Amino acid sequence: MQVQLNKSLISSRLKNVYDGWKNASQNDEYGSIADAEALLLHCGDPAGEDEPVRKGTAFQTWLLGYEFPSTFLLFQKDRLLVLCSASKAKFLQQIKEGNPPVPVDILVQAKAKEPPSDALPKFVEAYTSFKRVGTLVKESSSGKLMTEWEQAVSKSDQKPELVDMAPALSALMAVKDEEEMKCIRTAANLTSTLLVHHIVVKLEMILDKEAKITHEQFASQIEARLGSGEGDDAKGPDMKVWSKGRGLSDVDWASTEYCYSPIIQSRSTSAGYDLRSTAESSSDTIAHKGVFLIAAGMRYKGYCANLGRSIIVDPSKEQEAIYNLLLSMQSEMLKEIKDGVTAREVYQRALDIVKKEKPELEKNFVKNVGFGTGVEFRDSAYLLSLKNAKHLKTDMVFNLSLGFSDLVDDNGKKYALHLVDTIRVGADRSTALTEGAKSTKDTLFFLNPENEIDVEEDKPSKTSKKPPVKPLVNGSPVKNKTVGGKVLRNKTRSAAQEEVLMTAAAKIREHQQHLHESLQSAGLAKYSEEGSGAGEKEGKTWKRFQSYKGESALPREVESLRISVDRKAQTIVLPVHGFAVPFHINTIKNVSKNDEGDVAYLRINFQTPGQLAGKKDDTPFEDPDSTFIRSVTYRSSDSHRFDTISKQITDLKKEVNKREQQKKEMADVIEQDVLVEIKGRRAHKLPEVFVRPALDGKRLPGEVEIHQNGLRYQSPMGSQKIDVLFTNIKHLFFQPCDKELLVIVHIHLKAPIMIGKKKAHDIQFFREASDVQFDETGNRKRKHRYGDEDEIEMEQQERKRRQMLNKEFKLFAERIAEAASTSMGETLEVDIPFRELSFEGVPFRTNVRLQPTTECLVHLIDPPFLVVTLNEIEIASLERVQFSLKQFDLVLIFKDFTKAPLHINSIPSGQLDDVKNWLDSVDIPLGEGPVNLNWGPIMKTINESPHDFFQQGGWRSFLGGGDADSDADDASDSESEFEADPEELQSEESSDAASEYDGSNASADSGSASGYDDESDEGDDWEELERKAAKSDSKRTAEGKGTRGGDTDSDDDRPKKKGAAKPKANGKSKKR
């Protein structure tokens, strides 16, 4: 298959070359070729694998998209002359079809066995006709064509003057277009993934096991992640590593390679630490302590990305300070490097930071802080040094390299530190393209002081090696690994020393104190004295109701001065003193009809201020001090007519209320813009998926398509469709089918949309993972099998099918995220639930598994779905936390106080620590109490005056905060008006058991732990318990007659056997 060149891209870049050359006199960057009459680019045989990419090869790759060895290009003012072999000429002929800015002439060299052609003489003649030619003076190439060229030019009488065009070529390639940026982003993602998911993990393992491995062997293992071996022994890329990266699903692995062999250095490196990119991993065994320098760079489709990290085991305070300086310096430099600054200013700014923070390190600071990168790994024309005056422009890409060399540690040994990342220059600031393993918690590994002491006491004479010490685990998730006597992934040295001493509960309590303090200060700032009503719920406003515009609009029936109901105008017309007076239905509260003998009375009650109304009837009034008619009563002997009028008014009132309720429910439903279908290519599709909420009709799978500004789900016959715009997507989830029956792509919307006649906040696309369409009746294979081979084969097929489903749905979710990010300009990321952090609870009516994600808490398996955004939560309240109960409840209060709190009931008490740890890890403040709170009245009180609530202590005093144990008395004193009534604080365990949670396992547990005392370890059923309770009540009533007026000691009067059986109910002894 013939290689297809990107003709339009080649023409565009040729135009850039000629435009830059034409305007060279006005631009300093192209000054080197301003007087050149022609430009010569000669490429000989390919460079060796260990040699860096030459600038000529880099420029050729940039221009043509591929490297063409033994090919000469002569740029003339009016044409482009190409000298190459016949096979290359076939490919390069495509350039002529792309509308190039100048004519392209191709001179074809003769093959080896053919007579020589006149191609080379013609090319030499054209070259020697010029007096001044730009070329790469410092580059030398080899090969047959180069030898023939040099001989032909040496024989020529006239030779042009040569000028170096390298700076001009660097300027042409410096600013990257969108195609180049895609390649560099992929290279950066590859490099970051390699670092985070392999290099750092592998290094931790080496330190953990104190493995003996050389720097060179470690580097070779890293290189093998891209594949190794040849022929039958060849291994492809290690997808266990690469699959963990972001946006690497469509990588062309044939176009992926290393820029250089990964560099690993430690204190045992015999040549010492070397910060240059030309350094090599030595054959010395890796040390297990001190500074480790890592550098790795990857090339994708010819474009490079590079990073470097410093990892320190058992750092001194000085080393910590220097590394923190590197971190802060990089952050500052990303703000400084922007469009228009010079390379000299960049270096000077970095040097100024060093002089200000640690002037004694100025002599150790690197001589340059990076270089331009792209097709050429290191472009020296854009060196970020004090001598370079070149200006930086938007979309240039640099390798920002900060470091200190020849530093001396406490033992007098030399070491170095560096922090290297690939960055993109922007208009206002730069952004880092490579990331990961940069913060102190990822790079500073500490020794455990307590373990050191133990080892020294056991073996005072030997100090060289310390055996691995088993880490202390206190039941909570272990965030800090203790391996080989080292505490890994810690923030500061002081925290590392306190790590062993502090329990998980103490750490959570300390963290919660900080969270509550910040929450209190934020609340006071948000609800200031002047804006005290900012968080108040918008009350119902006065709404005018107009029945008729004038007397002429009244219906004819009113002429008879009888009561009439006008359904069209939603009005009741009443006769009052000879006048027909209309009353809108919303002014009427209710109607009642009574019969007394032969006379019937019809009483119509109106809405008036001061009534003891419920929540639904708290209607505001324009002027509450006006005089109101509370009711009107009519008397008639026609009882049937009053029955009819009463029914008409009641039905109209119900109809209006229902309409208002529907209107209120649909208030937040939005009308989406029109979906713009993608043109020019086929839309990405996910076939054979079901949708929830389901469409009308038979349940059949459809397909989802990704278009320019949204998604479209289409039913099989194309009769129904659902459009979802990217601008309305709030969260995007992918849930794999691991341990589940469904694989899911779930979309949570910012505002609900109508699907059929219902509004939907969530749309889900899923496929069933289990395959029931297989033959269990045996086949030809079964006759020859006498074991579990067929079952094993089916299990393997099932596992493989699930992996393929996960891969397909995850890829589609990533494509949605990429398309949405491109369309909106805002990043939309795929969120995946963490099953290992899940817990069970009852958010609605059934017991379900709730799974945290990076940004949310979700339940996506069955409707109704639950999606709670974590950054919208103000505080979490843990209720019914008692030693004797098997379950507790979780209430989430939102930052928008007008939203009702979310109740998640009946969570098993065994998961209390896990829930606490998770909530604390996502920085959500906690409150804890033994009983349920009545949150309706509480939130109503808070909404009336949020300012007063926070002035009087806020959540910390109300719920106890992170230091509830120590400040319980103070908190109770400061609760004031926000202290809930005893009725509000009553326990809801028994009501839970008898309410909507009936039938679920969780509610059964809750009921059994609420207050029923079993006399047997096995437990009785409900009928037995009710029978015993009735018997006990009747017995107590019989024994307690006559004692109604005084205090009764019912507990003491109870039979002793009952009292003795009480501890058995919970399986606990009294001593406990």
Side-chain angles (χ1 to χ4, degrees), residues 603-618:
R603 179 185 175 98
I604 299 172
N605 298 312
F606 296 98
Q607 300 276 13
T608 57
Q611 293 179 346
L612 295 174
K615 291 180 182 178
K616 296 180 181 177
D617 300 324
D618 53 349

Side-chain angles (χ1 to χ4, degrees), residues 1021-1033:
D1021 58 15
W1022 287 107
E1023 293 180 0
E1024 181 69 16
L1025 287 170
E1026 287 175 357
R1027 188 181 62 77
K1028 287 184 178 182
K1031 185 178 178 182
S1032 176
D1033 290 340

Side-chain angles (χ1 to χ4, degrees), residues 247-390:
L248 302 181
S249 52
D250 297 327
V251 168
D252 179 8
W253 295 106
S255 303
T256 308
E257 59 182 335
Y258 288 96
C259 298
Y260 54 86
S261 180
I263 303 169
I264 309 294
Q265 302 177 65
S266 73
R267 67 197 299 178
S268 61
T269 302
S270 56
Y273 292 100
D274 188 351
L275 296 184
R276 294 174 297 178
S277 57
T278 55
E280 294 182 356
S281 302
S282 72
S283 56
D284 304 300
T285 303
I286 290 180
H288 298 116
K289 195 175 179 182
V291 176
F292 296 81
L293 296 187
I294 298 168
M298 300 203 71
R299 188 190 305 273
Y300 184 70
K301 293 186 177 179
Y303 289 87
C304 303
N306 185 54
L307 56 73
R309 294 290 184 266
S310 301
I311 290 178
I312 316 173
V313 176
D314 192 26
S316 63
K317 291 186 177 180
E318 177 68 14
Q319 289 172 333
E320 276 189 65
I322 297 173
Y323 186 77
N324 282 322
L325 173 61
L326 285 175
L327 287 176
S328 61
M329 192 191 305
Q330 189 191 66
S331 178
E332 189 65 29
M333 295 309 296
L334 288 174
K335 298 175 186 176
E336 294 293 329
I337 300 175
K338 55 188 175 183
D339 185 66
V341 303
T342 63
R344 179 188 296 138
E345 290 170 347
V346 171
Y347 183 81
Q348 188 60 52
R349 176 58 184 149
L351 197 60
D352 290 344
I353 294 173
V354 176
K355 289 179 180 178
K356 180 182 177 183
E357 300 294 334
K358 282 190 172 293
E360 69 276 11
L361 296 180
E362 183 183 350
K363 64 181 184 299
N364 303 102
F365 193 54
V366 289
K367 303 306 177 188
N368 65 75
V369 292
F371 45 79
T373 189
V375 180
E376 193 177 9
F377 175 73
R378 184 179 188 273
D379 191 345
S380 56
Y382 283 90
L383 202 64
L384 300 177
S385 67
L386 207 55
K387 298 178 181 179
N388 195 350
K390 285 190 180 292

